[in-house]
Amino acid sequence: MSFLRGKRVNRDQVAVVTGAAGGLGWAMVQQLAARAQDSGTPLRLVLVDMNGEALQLRAAELTQSVVTVDVQVADLSAEASVAQLCQVLAARYPQVDLLINNAGITHRSLSTQTSNAVIRRVMAVDYHAPVELAQGLLAPMRAAGGCVVNISSMAGWMPVLGRAGYCAAKSALHQYFETFREEVREDGISVLMVYPSFVATNIDANALSGDGGRAQHAQSTVGQVRTADWMAARILNAVATGKERLFPWDKTLLGAYLYKLAPRLFLRQMVKNFRVELEEGRKLARQSSAV
């Protein structure tokens, strides 16, 4: 039996993971390799990231006898790079069982202080790349009856100060793949949408500022910050049991309901929780006017 989705197959399983060199992506890669070893299932792991050196180091850590590693360096913010990646993978793997769109980028800056280039980059990585990968690998996923896993965010369900572009990208991802799922269901392709709240990964540590540099102020959070390993286990369990959506059972889920039922109350609370974003924006405005 396949350890991925409980289906009987007589071939190697193929799993493609973007953003595989660190954080949640690497945690999922490690657990995929461990589960393959435990079940004795041959697994071809395709690790995708823009950091080639880090990918090679990670690949060397995967010593399970049933696992074969394929390293693919790609800049998912560039359409041509994504298209080339799809071409290579579709030619190399006639069947793809699992596509995990994990790579992501965010910003921490007020919308009025965020450049168009930053918004476009966030949209490219968080929305366009997952869409283009799913479309580019459609044939091998049909052949395998594969599953697309999208790491979205609760920020796609409700507004969050200082992350307008990120919220927009994750909202677009949600709407696209909720529709996509129904359009490919009869082809045997499934979609799992994952909506984490706050996970301890590098995405916020590497958050962009409004001008495209590195955000300097501390991240604001609500509720418990989960580890990447904890989140990875929940995601792979959801894949194995055929779930279509995975939500956090914490304050952020309550916030999403509050936003739908009492939006003005939610917005007041959101501004209170993320007031540091307004304060940082005002500080930046004062510095700019003083120059």
Side-chain angles (χ1 to χ4, degrees), residues 123-140:
M123 288 295 295
V125 176
D126 293 355
Y127 170 68
H128 288 290
V131 168
E132 291 160 15
L133 282 165
Q135 293 287 3
L137 298 178
L138 197 57

Side-chain angles (χ1 to χ4, degrees), residues 12-263:
D12 292 4
Q13 300 281 276
V14 177
V16 179
V17 183
T18 68
L24 181 58
W26 174 238
M28 286 188 286
V29 165
Q30 288 179 296
Q31 293 192 29
L32 282 168
R35 293 182 185 208
Q37 188 70 26
D38 290 344
S39 66
T41 305
L43 173 66
R44 295 181 180 271
L45 270 172
V46 183
L47 311 187
V48 181
D49 206 285
M50 65 185 303
N51 188 332
E53 182 178 353
L55 275 182
Q56 293 293 346
L57 292 173
R58 291 304 197 189
E61 295 182 45
L62 299 171
T63 58
Q64 291 86 353
S65 60
V66 301
V67 174
T68 303
V69 182
D70 180 2
V71 168
Q72 295 290 329
V73 180
D75 179 1
L76 299 186
S77 69
E79 183 180 1
S81 181
V82 177
Q84 183 180 21
L85 175 64
C86 289
Q87 185 176 16
V88 169
L89 295 183
R92 187 170 298 176
Y93 302 105
Q95 294 173 307
V96 172
D97 299 274
L98 188 61
L99 167 62
I100 301 181
N101 288 313
N102 165 74
I105 191 171
T106 189
H107 69 100
R108 290 205 300 275
S109 53
L110 299 185
S111 56
T112 54
Q113 297 172 340
T114 305
S115 71
N116 291 338
V118 167
I119 297 297
R120 287 182 178 276
R121 187 176 176 191
V122 170
M123 288 295 295
V125 176
D126 293 355
Y127 170 68
H128 288 290
V131 168
E132 291 160 15
L133 282 165
Q135 293 287 3
L137 298 178
L138 197 57
M141 295 206 72
R142 276 196 181 115
C147 177
V148 182
V149 178
N150 295 303
I151 308 303
S152 186
S153 169
M154 289 306 293
W157 288 79
M158 52 192 172
V160 181
L161 282 181
R163 296 166 180 81
Y166 182 73
C167 291
K170 293 303 187 180
S171 179
L173 188 73
H174 159 76
Q175 293 286 16
Y176 182 91
F177 278 99
E178 285 291 323
T179 304
F180 176 89
R181 181 194 291 114
E182 299 312 312
E183 294 175 349
V184 300
R185 188 184 292 276
E186 292 185 2
D187 294 332
I189 298 174
S190 60
V191 175
L192 169 62
M193 296 297 298
V194 181
Y195 300 102
S197 50
F198 291 96
V199 180
T201 70
N202 290 332
I203 187 171
D204 268 292
N206 296 324
L208 300 176
S209 60
D211 62 2
R214 185 71 60 84
Q216 299 299 314
H217 60 285
Q219 174 193 12
S220 301
T221 62
V222 174
Q224 186 175 1
V225 178
R226 297 291 189 176
T227 67
D229 288 337
W230 181 89
M231 193 71 231
R234 289 198 70 207
I235 292 168
L236 297 186
N237 288 342
V239 172
T241 56
K243 284 190 175 181
E244 296 187 343
R245 298 166 195 85
L246 181 59
F247 290 100
W249 293 96
D250 61 13
K251 289 182 179 179
T252 57
L253 183 58
L254 294 176
Y257 281 113
L258 182 61
Y259 177 55
K260 299 298 182 185
L261 299 173

